[in-house]
Amino acid sequence: MRVVMFGYQTWGHRTLKALLDSEHDVVMVVTHPKSEHAYEKIWSDSVAELAEEHGVPVVIRNRPDDEELFQLLKEADPDIIVANNWRTWIPPRIYTLPPHGTLNVHDSLLPKYAGFSPLIWALINGEPEVGVTAHLMDEVLDAGDIVRQESVAVGPKDTATDLFHKTVDLIAPVTIGALDLIASGRTDFTKQDRSQATFFHKRAEEDIRINWSWPAEDLERLVRAQSAPYPAAFTFHKGRRLEVLGAVVSEGRYGGTPGRIFYREGDGVVIVAGADARTGRNHGLAVTRVRTEDGRELPAAEYFTSMGGYLTERP
């Protein structure tokens, strides 16, 4: 099939590579300009550069809603559009233009985790698995019929970075497998159960600030979810920002005021956290490694020696 690809960053780059390695013919690529947004500078392999290396025409757009792009798409005459990590709304006259419409590749197990940063949100929320879905685009974001979907388990120590590498390897089989099904003439695909749908927004500074009233189990997942190269989860100690780079749920149970620096346990320093209403347990978060405002990384025990006091949500 003749394919136009809409894509951005490493997800779009992997999709384009899979298409270029397949029997399908990539006739044009549409991608975003580089962004200075913190999350969009992560995993920022260039879709444009890969396309140009293979002689594929490239169009740069923030939004695909202008007449010039529409005419270029008509001239490219694709059988289908494939979109992955396209960051803005695609209008109906674009996604319905090819005979087979538009196949969107999304890094979650739809209908759950539509929207942005699904791997991070899924890890924070304690999901047992994550994955990749290829679905046909319609008027509702990430809601069209599912053509192909694959999942991987979330391990007890997995970080968001681990999950990125697990799921990015699913892009080629999911995308090319879905295209092959469509090319074979299949039209009966799986309707999404909208009663199970969830939608999440872009991650921002407030989403990585530690709230010590959360249960320790949730905070431990937040720390893993904000693994490098993502911005680290942070708190404040004596008015200064402190990033938490490593933490585990304490073995012992510690009650008291959330945020109180309480006790040395193993390699960590226990910070009192909120009670977990689901389990009835009240563990602390044993912080093992931190980064200070001036960029020093050090063991938490070394940092907290003789300092005491509280960790706070705000300075």
Side-chain angles (χ1 to χ4, degrees):
M1 286 197 296
R2 291 171 58 84
V3 178
V4 167
M5 201 206 82
F6 280 58
Y8 185 52
Q9 297 178 293
T10 298
W11 278 87
H13 187 277
R14 283 294 187 95
T15 304
L16 177 57
K17 186 176 187 308
L19 290 168
L20 291 169
D21 291 341
S22 74
E23 296 180 356
H24 303 286
D25 182 19
V26 183
V27 295
M28 190 169 82
V29 164
V30 185
T31 189
H32 294 301
K34 290 182 179 179
S35 170
E36 292 305 310
H37 187 283
Y39 277 90
E40 294 192 0
K41 288 162 63 176
I42 299 168
W43 315 120
S44 56
D45 296 285
S46 174
V47 171
E49 290 177 7
L50 180 60
E52 288 164 356
E53 287 171 10
H54 289 80
V56 178
V58 176
V59 179
I60 308 292
R61 287 291 190 279
N62 273 314
R63 298 183 179 277
D65 53 5
D66 59 276
E67 190 62 32
E68 181 186 16
L69 176 59
F70 183 65
Q71 292 304 319
L72 288 171
L73 288 168
K74 288 176 68 175
E75 291 168 12
D77 192 28
D79 297 303
I80 194 167
I81 292 172
V82 174
N84 192 344
N85 201 32
W86 184 260
R87 314 298 277 177
T88 57
W89 180 67
I90 298 176
R93 73 167 183 164
I94 298 290
Y95 69 72
T96 62
L97 177 64
H100 295 288
T102 295
L103 183 76
N104 185 50
V105 183
H106 183 69
D107 50 333
S108 84
L109 296 174
L110 294 174
K112 294 183 177 180
Y113 296 94
F116 299 89
S117 305
L119 295 177
I120 295 177
W121 287 113
L123 180 52
I124 290 170
N125 292 335
E127 298 291 349
E129 60 181 5
V130 292
V132 174
T133 302
H135 71 95
L136 293 171
M137 188 174 287
D138 64 14
E139 67 276 7
V140 180
L141 181 65
D142 295 334
D145 291 359
I146 294 171
V147 181
R148 182 161 176 171
Q149 184 176 79
E150 292 195 20
S151 64
V152 291
V154 177
K157 294 184 179 180
D158 275 346
T159 65
T161 308
D162 296 326
L163 298 182
F164 170 85
H165 289 297
K166 286 183 178 183
T167 54
V168 80
D169 288 339
L170 299 178
I171 289 176
V174 168
T175 304
I176 304 307
L179 283 178
D180 290 346
L181 285 172
I182 293 169
S184 74
R186 277 277 303 276
T187 57
D188 56 325
F189 300 116
T190 305
K191 298 287 184 186
Q192 292 194 39
D193 180 356
R194 302 307 296 158
S195 70
Q196 299 299 309
T198 57
F199 183 91
F200 288 82
H201 58 67
K202 285 184 179 180
R203 303 285 293 170
E205 182 87 347
E206 287 300 311
D207 298 306
I208 63 175
R209 186 193 301 266
I210 293 174
N211 181 341
W212 291 102
S213 67
W214 284 19
E217 291 83 356
D218 293 355
L219 293 177
E220 186 269 343
R221 291 196 302 273
L222 173 63
V223 172
R224 284 192 282 128
Q226 296 299 149
S227 58
Y230 300 105
F234 71 95
T235 184
F236 290 93
H237 183 242
K238 298 191 174 181
R240 295 187 176 182
R241 181 178 173 127
L242 183 69
E243 294 180 341
V244 177
L245 305 181
V248 297
V249 176
S250 68
E251 294 181 6
R253 295 176 63 179
Y254 301 90
T257 306
R260 177 72 179 268
I261 301 166
F262 192 67
Y263 193 79
R264 175 79 179 266
E265 183 184 279
D267 294 330
V269 175
V270 174
I271 315 300
V272 177
D276 190 334
R278 296 164 295 184
T279 65
R281 292 177 293 181
N282 190 339
H283 291 280
L285 186 72
V287 176
T288 57
R289 194 161 187 82
V290 297
R291 180 162 54 221
T292 61
E293 214 170 41
D294 59 5
R296 290 182 302 131
E297 290 188 22
L298 65 164
E302 180 180 334
Y303 173 80
F304 287 120
T305 298
S306 303
M307 296 189 75
Y310 291 84
L311 293 173
T312 58
E313 187 178 350
R314 299 188 180 276

